[in-house]
Structure formats: C-alpha cells, structure tokens
Amino acid sequence: TGRVQWPDGSPADVIVTARGAGSRPMGSRRARTSAEGNFRIDTLGPGPCDLRAETKARAVSVRAGGGLTSRRLRTRQDEQEERESWSAFALAVPAGSEGLVLTLDPGECLAGIVRGSKAAPVTDYQLWAVPSDGRHARQYGRFSGEQGVFEFSGLAAGEWRLEVQADGFEEASATVVLPRTEQFELTLSRLANL
C-alpha cells in the first residue's frame, strides 16, 4: 500500500503499475489511486517488485473554500506541465510493504540524434536509457524517421548510459549526464561486409 503525490504534497490521480523486480518472471498488476492519492496492489508473489506511477498532465484546478474544486485560468506554466511526463519509481520493494510514498517528478528531457559514420541520420533504431545508479527504471524506445532524432522525457537527473541498436550497424553506447540543455549525438559504425 502507499500514496502517490505531487511535489507540493497534494494527492495524484494516477495508475500505479507493479512488476516483478530483477529477473523474476511474472506478470504485472495495476491500481488507480483514490481521491486521496492512496493505492493498494495485492501481492505479486513472495519476492520484491518495482512500482511505477506515471501521468502526462497535471490537473489545472485549485482548492476553494469548503473543499470544492474550482477551475482557474490556464497559464504558460500549466501548458508546460501538461507537456511533461510526470513519474515516480520505487524499485525492489519487498512484498507486503506498506506506507510507501511516491512523489511525481517531471524529470529531465534528453533529446538527440543518431547518425551513421558518414554523418547521415540513422532512420530506424532501438535505444535504451539505462540509469547508472540502478535506482530508476530503464527506458526503451524504437525510433524511426528521416531525421534520426529521439527524445526521452521524465528521466531522473544524473548519469545515464545510452545503448543503441540498428540494422546494418554495430551496437554502440555512450554516457550522458542530466540535466543537459544541448542535443546529444550518437554515431554508429557500419558493420563490415563479410
């Protein structure tokens, strides 16, 4: 059991997903938080699990007197928050844990481009963002398009290892530290012809 909240402590209305931690093969369970942000996920088994709460938009409402909720005018900050992916993680949570508090964070954005050795964009590839500290879930994306660009949002600040695979190219990896304001570039080498 636990609670999901926004950084200001207000309850968050999100779906919480639990999956087996590490290499434990098992399914997943989901639960929606209550109006108070509370959730309960029945056990997945005897071992630990990873919890993830994620939402794409933060509500644009404020508490009014008497516990009523009223709408207010949208601001530029509201629009920015709605574009961000807010998430919270808890990894390797022991079975039966109670009183967990997950605080949503908009995280960092990592944008970049994957190029071949002759500077041409790679147009179809798979990319993993793996946290160096092991405390956050790895992120995966399959990207395609003429420009070779990618974007991950909601990543925690800190060091991440990027791993990329594309047909006809050698696998490559690089390390990046977030936050980062400039675009990141990965260059792949063509596989040698046999």
Side-chain angles (χ1 to χ4, degrees):
T1 63
R3 181 174 194 272
V4 182
Q5 64 186 20
W6 293 103
D8 64 6
S10 61
D13 178 20
V14 298
I15 299 288
V16 179
T17 304
R19 294 186 192 281
S23 61
R24 285 182 53 224
M26 71 163 148
S28 65
R29 299 235 174 138
R30 298 167 55 123
R32 177 167 286 287
T33 57
S34 67
E36 296 80 31
N38 297 322
F39 68 91
R40 177 179 186 82
I41 296 180
D42 293 325
T43 184
L44 293 169
C49 67
D50 295 341
L51 297 176
R52 178 184 180 104
E54 186 172 37
T55 184
K56 291 289 184 190
R58 181 166 182 174
V60 186
S61 61
V62 294
R63 291 274 179 199
L68 300 175
T69 301
S70 64
R71 300 295 288 175
R72 63 178 166 77
L73 293 176
R74 293 170 50 82
T75 66
R76 282 182 175 253
Q77 183 176 354
D78 295 331
E79 291 170 4
Q80 175 63 30
E81 287 179 351
E82 287 179 4
R83 285 191 295 271
E84 294 172 340
S85 175
W86 293 75
S87 58
F89 304 94
L91 302 181
V93 176
S97 294
E98 295 185 10
L100 298 168
V101 176
L102 302 176
T103 302
L104 295 170
D105 184 338
E108 302 293 334
C109 181
L110 174 62
I113 186 168
V114 175
R115 297 185 185 278
S117 54
K118 295 185 179 180
V122 176
T123 59
D124 188 25
Y125 58 92
Q126 298 175 73
L127 181 67
W128 290 264
V130 181
S132 296
D133 64 9
R135 294 183 306 153
H136 300 89
R138 57 190 279 147
Q139 304 291 310
Y140 166 78
R142 178 162 192 95
F143 300 91
S144 61
E146 292 180 24
Q147 304 302 315
V149 297
F150 67 86
E151 182 176 308
F152 281 117
S153 59
L155 299 177
E159 186 175 278
W160 290 78
R161 188 177 75 250
L162 300 179
E163 301 170 351
V164 64
Q165 293 178 351
D167 289 340
F169 293 91
E170 293 181 13
E171 293 181 15
S173 65
T175 301
V176 61
V177 177
L178 299 177
R180 181 184 179 91
T181 55
E182 63 274 354
Q183 180 172 286
F184 192 77
E185 189 168 313
L186 281 163
T187 302
L188 303 181
S189 298
R190 282 244 174 237
L191 288 173
N193 291 336
L194 300 177

